[in-house]
Amino acid sequence: MPTVTLEDARRVIAAAEKKADEIGQPMNIAVVDSGGNLVAHVRQDGAWIGSVNISINKAWTSRAFDITTKDLGDNSQPTQQFFGIHTTNGGKVAIFAGGIPLSRDGEVVGAVGVSGGSGEQDHSVAEAGAAAF
Amino acid sequence: MPTVTLEDARRVIAAAEKKADEIGQPMNIAVVDSGGNLVAHVRQDGAWIGSVNISINKAWTSRAFDITTKDLGDNSQPTQQFFGIHTTNGGKVAIFAGGIPLSRDGEVVGAVGVSGGSGEQDHSVAEAGAAAF
Amino acid sequence: MPTVTLEDARRVIAAAEKKADEIGQPMNIAVVDSGGNLVAHVRQDGAWIGSVNISINKAWTSRAFDITTKDLGDNSQPTQQFFGIHTTNGGKVAIFAGGIPLSRDGEVVGAVGVSGGSGEQDHSVAEAGAAAF
Amino acid sequence: MPTVTLEDARRVIAAAEKKADEIGQPMNIAVVDSGGNLVAHVRQDGAWIGSVNISINKAWTSRAFDITTKDLGDNSQPTQQFFGIHTTNGGKVAIFAGGIPLSRDGEVVGAVGVSGGSGEQDHSVAEAGAAAF
């Protein structure tokens, strides 16, 4: 069995889409598995095209470091311990809110990444998605 | 109205998944809009992780040049008129079967890209997806 | 438990190194896990520095498509069904001999990649590594 | 004789692994030679996959500029003399703690890079590795 099945990813995305609809902000939503590889992505009608890669990168980042991109961002500001991490890994590291790890039995097995609104909106939509995992 | 709505993309992907299930080969399936930007992607359980990007690139390529990647490939072999095109555009140009334009009223408005099996399998799954557009 | 532990990777690398020593050709040897992510790499003294990335890419490729890079290469020559695949995925796809999937209970869970000699030498060293998995 | 032999690299890595085990934080550890080219890398079980490249980049950076990445980081903050250096060299320059040069007879001949924990943890594990050189 894969760590995050396509069915899992669709459930996470559906919950995230519902939240995005509620707050009225179209979003890009991506889910990756334990290896950081994409399982599924959707761009809601009207969502920013520049956010396609950002949603995928946020999901990758959250799995790659087992942390929300919001918390990673706090540690990646100038003078903080991880400042500069955003230019590693070929530009795949996202350091602003919207990526959240997906855990099963206390272990991170994947992640969801959301991009299309404010940092607060992206994070809340990702939370709604993660809660459905 | 977007040129390819998320609902359109989901219908194309569902038809492609059905075909992939029938031939018993798990696939990556991607749909892009008229701007070549990703609308949706799925990786079926067990499909190759190396095919995530290839499916997206096949879709982008088919919209970027309004041609199937199979036909573009025929023109991109050594000594043919487009040989070398696969290294342009940052490596996004795919020159093997699996990408098919999506048309409406005689105009290309997007594309579907499939990767996960032989060239013949990828193309037939993409055809099933395109037929549902 | 990870799919390929560091202990597994070291056992594979040790067997590959032994084979490389026997044939007198210093090698780069890399092992990736089920997500295609690097577990361990060694460059034997005197091995080509240009082969560092090639060994890692061969391992990634073999896991990404569940195939030896030798077989993938046969299908990726001009006019063959996958010609052009080597420029996808940011240049990570290697299409010459030296990458072999690592399987457990009939399922590919990682791969070994070897680079530093002729294609035949690379493949035989990778085979020795894979046999120790 | 290579500047940093594989045997050297393994001794450095073993010492670094011992330290990582003591502090209970799984790490990626990489060693490069005088040319900045990778000699060996290990990812301990459970260490972040996003840290594979960072460990290699920290090692490269420490050799490329003959400085710890911690000290380079101090000089690379906004308003400091090297601010912006992290986006040069194709993203290979790491400007946060964890990379330490390896010296012999007063000359830098290689470097070790560590990534997987806090900046302080990464640096202390790299120090343990460097001390074994």
Side-chain angles (χ1 to χ4, degrees):
Chain A
M1 279 294 287
T3 52
V4 176
T5 64
L6 178 52
E7 190 185 325
D8 289 330
R10 283 188 159 131
R11 195 172 60 250
V12 167
I13 288 174
E17 281 191 89
K18 188 163 172 291
K19 179 70 176 179
D21 290 345
E22 282 170 19
I23 65 175
Q25 186 66 26
M27 295 287 186
N28 280 271
I29 307 156
V31 173
V32 300
D33 65 14
S34 66
N37 296 298
L38 189 63
V39 181
H41 162 273
V42 303
R43 172 161 53 100
Q44 293 187 289
D45 297 345
W48 297 329
I49 57 178
S51 285
V52 172
N53 281 329
I54 296 176
S55 66
I56 296 172
N57 289 354
K58 283 181 181 172
W60 182 84
T61 300
S62 279
R63 171 56 191 114
F65 302 105
D66 295 351
I67 193 172
T68 66
T69 53
K70 186 170 184 291
D71 286 346
L72 184 64
D74 290 340
N75 284 287
S76 303
Q77 301 304 311
T79 76
Q80 298 304 307
Q81 63 177 336
F82 295 140
F83 175 60
I85 200 172
H86 55 306
T87 62
T88 66
N89 286 282
K92 287 198 298 176
V93 177
I95 55 169
F96 42 109
I100 297 185
L102 299 176
S103 296
R104 188 166 278 153
D105 303 327
E107 194 190 356
V108 177
V109 295
V112 57
V114 174
S115 182
S118 67
E120 200 176 336
Q121 288 175 321
D122 292 355
H123 188 75
S124 72
V125 170
E127 276 186 322
F133 182 60
Chain B
M1 276 295 290
T3 52
V4 177
T5 64
L6 178 52
E7 191 185 325
D8 289 331
R10 282 190 159 128
R11 193 173 60 250
V12 167
I13 288 174
E17 280 192 89
K18 187 163 173 290
K19 179 70 175 180
D21 290 345
E22 282 170 19
I23 64 175
Q25 187 67 25
M27 293 287 185
N28 280 270
I29 306 156
V31 172
V32 300
D33 64 13
S34 65
N37 298 297
L38 190 63
V39 180
H41 162 271
V42 303
R43 172 160 53 100
Q44 294 187 289
D45 296 345
W48 297 329
I49 56 178
S51 285
V52 172
N53 281 327
I54 295 176
S55 66
I56 296 172
N57 290 353
K58 283 180 180 173
W60 182 85
T61 301
S62 279
R63 170 57 192 106
F65 301 106
D66 294 350
I67 192 173
T68 68
T69 55
K70 186 170 184 291
D71 285 347
L72 182 65
D74 288 342
N75 284 287
S76 303
Q77 300 301 313
T79 77
Q80 300 304 307
Q81 63 177 335
F82 295 140
F83 175 61
I85 200 172
H86 56 305
T87 62
T88 66
N89 288 278
K92 287 199 296 178
V93 177
I95 55 167
F96 42 110
I100 297 184
L102 298 176
S103 298
R104 186 167 280 153
D105 303 327
E107 194 189 358
V108 177
V109 294
V112 57
V114 174
S115 181
S118 68
E120 199 176 338
Q121 289 175 319
D122 292 354
H123 188 76
S124 72
V125 169
E127 278 185 321
F133 182 59
Chain C
M1 278 296 288
T3 51
V4 176
T5 65
L6 177 52
E7 191 184 325
D8 289 331
R10 282 189 159 129
R11 194 173 61 250
V12 167
I13 288 174
E17 280 192 88
K18 187 163 174 289
K19 180 69 176 179
D21 290 345
E22 283 170 18
I23 65 176
Q25 187 65 26
M27 294 288 186
N28 281 269
I29 307 155
V31 172
V32 300
D33 65 13
S34 66
N37 295 297
L38 189 64
V39 180
H41 161 272
V42 303
R43 172 160 54 100
Q44 294 186 290
D45 296 345
W48 298 327
I49 56 177
S51 285
V52 173
N53 281 328
I54 295 176
S55 66
I56 296 172
N57 289 353
K58 283 180 181 174
W60 183 84
T61 301
S62 279
R63 170 57 191 112
F65 302 105
D66 295 351
I67 193 173
T68 67
T69 54
K70 186 171 185 292
D71 286 346
L72 183 64
D74 290 341
N75 285 287
S76 304
Q77 301 304 310
T79 75
Q80 299 304 307
Q81 62 177 337
F82 296 141
F83 175 61
I85 199 171
H86 56 305
T87 62
T88 66
N89 287 281
K92 288 198 298 176
V93 177
I95 54 169
F96 43 106
I100 297 183
L102 299 175
S103 297
R104 188 165 279 153
D105 303 327
E107 194 190 356
V108 177
V109 295
V112 56
V114 174
S115 182
S118 68
E120 200 176 337
Q121 288 175 320
D122 292 354
H123 189 76
S124 72
V125 170
E127 278 185 321
F133 182 58
Chain D
M1 277 293 290
T3 53
V4 176
T5 65
L6 178 52
E7 190 184 325
D8 290 330
R10 282 187 159 131
R11 195 173 60 251
V12 168
I13 287 174
E17 281 191 89
K18 188 163 172 290
K19 179 70 175 179
D21 290 345
E22 282 170 19
I23 65 174
Q25 187 65 26
M27 293 288 185
N28 281 268
I29 306 156
V31 173
V32 300
D33 65 13
S34 65
N37 297 297
L38 190 63
V39 180
H41 162 272
V42 303
R43 172 160 53 101
Q44 293 187 289
D45 296 345
W48 298 328
I49 56 178
S51 285
V52 172
N53 281 328
I54 295 176
S55 66
I56 297 171
N57 289 353
K58 284 180 180 173
W60 182 85
T61 301
S62 279
R63 171 58 192 107
F65 301 106
D66 293 352
I67 193 173
T68 66
T69 54
K70 185 169 183 293
D71 286 346
L72 182 64
D74 289 342
N75 285 287
S76 303
Q77 300 301 313
T79 77
Q80 299 303 308
Q81 63 178 335
F82 295 140
F83 176 60
I85 200 171
H86 57 304
T87 61
T88 65
N89 287 278
K92 287 197 298 177
V93 177
I95 55 168
F96 42 110
I100 297 185
L102 299 175
S103 297
R104 186 166 280 153
D105 303 328
E107 194 189 357
V108 177
V109 294
V112 57
V114 174
S115 182
S118 68
E120 201 176 336
Q121 288 176 321
D122 292 355
H123 188 76
S124 72
V125 169
E127 277 186 322
F133 182 60

